[in-house]
Amino acid sequence: MTNSLILPPIPVPDPDSAPYWEGLKNGKLTLCRCDDTGKWIHPPLERSRYTGGPVHFEEVSGEGTVFSYIVVRQALVPGRTPPYVIGLIELAEQPGLRINAVIDADPTDVRIGQEVTLRIADRGDSGYRIPEFVIR
């Protein structure tokens, strides 16, 4: 069986992450934010890691920089043909606010510190969408 016939992994939202996945389905990257301090929290939590208080979800700009990355050279994820890049993206909203995602670029073109922009990609026919980034 080839990778094109194997379904890609599908998210399994829990109460903490459901608003994140719902935002992506609606074409927006929404992240968790502390009601008391305004600090962003990712991955999402039920309560603020800063105060223990309530949190809510807000849309982020999708602008960021490549903080770190790896090049995947083995077929590990159905639906992805190696080589591909998984990046740790620091988002513009807050120092230290980072998200892992595919960087849709030739691996030889990716550099730490590069500016990237969000692109939301469909995840097969599942109805789910995922964040990916492209080099600006």
Side-chain angles (χ1 to χ4, degrees):
M1 189 179 271
T2 65
N3 278 349
S4 62
L5 299 176
I6 299 173
L7 295 175
I10 304 303
V12 180
D14 60 26
D16 293 343
S17 68
Y20 170 82
W21 293 111
E22 190 62 31
L24 287 168
K25 279 186 178 182
N26 294 319
K28 299 176 182 178
L29 179 58
T30 57
L31 298 182
C32 191
R33 196 165 195 186
C34 175
D35 285 0
D36 298 323
T37 66
K39 290 183 180 180
W40 297 93
I41 302 167
H42 188 75
L45 298 171
E46 178 183 16
R47 309 293 293 170
S48 171
R49 73 169 49 110
Y50 303 106
T51 67
V55 297
H56 66 281
F57 280 75
E58 279 185 37
E59 185 177 4
V60 294
S61 68
E63 303 297 318
T65 57
V66 177
F67 182 82
S68 182
Y69 68 95
I70 62 168
V71 177
V72 179
R73 298 188 188 282
Q74 296 180 341
L76 300 173
V77 177
R80 291 273 177 210
T81 303
Y84 58 93
V85 180
I86 301 292
L88 182 58
I89 307 302
E90 184 161 280
L91 297 173
E93 278 72 16
Q94 174 180 298
L97 178 63
R98 300 180 187 131
I99 185 170
N100 289 309
V102 168
I103 300 174
D104 187 15
D106 184 302
T108 62
D109 294 337
V110 179
R111 302 282 180 270
I112 291 174
Q114 274 180 317
E115 295 182 342
V116 292
T117 300
L118 174 70
R119 178 180 69 200
I120 297 176
D122 292 330
R123 197 76 202 123
D125 294 330
S126 68
Y128 281 98
R129 301 174 87 190
I130 59 170
E132 293 185 351
F133 288 86
V134 294
I135 298 170
R136 281 194 252 166

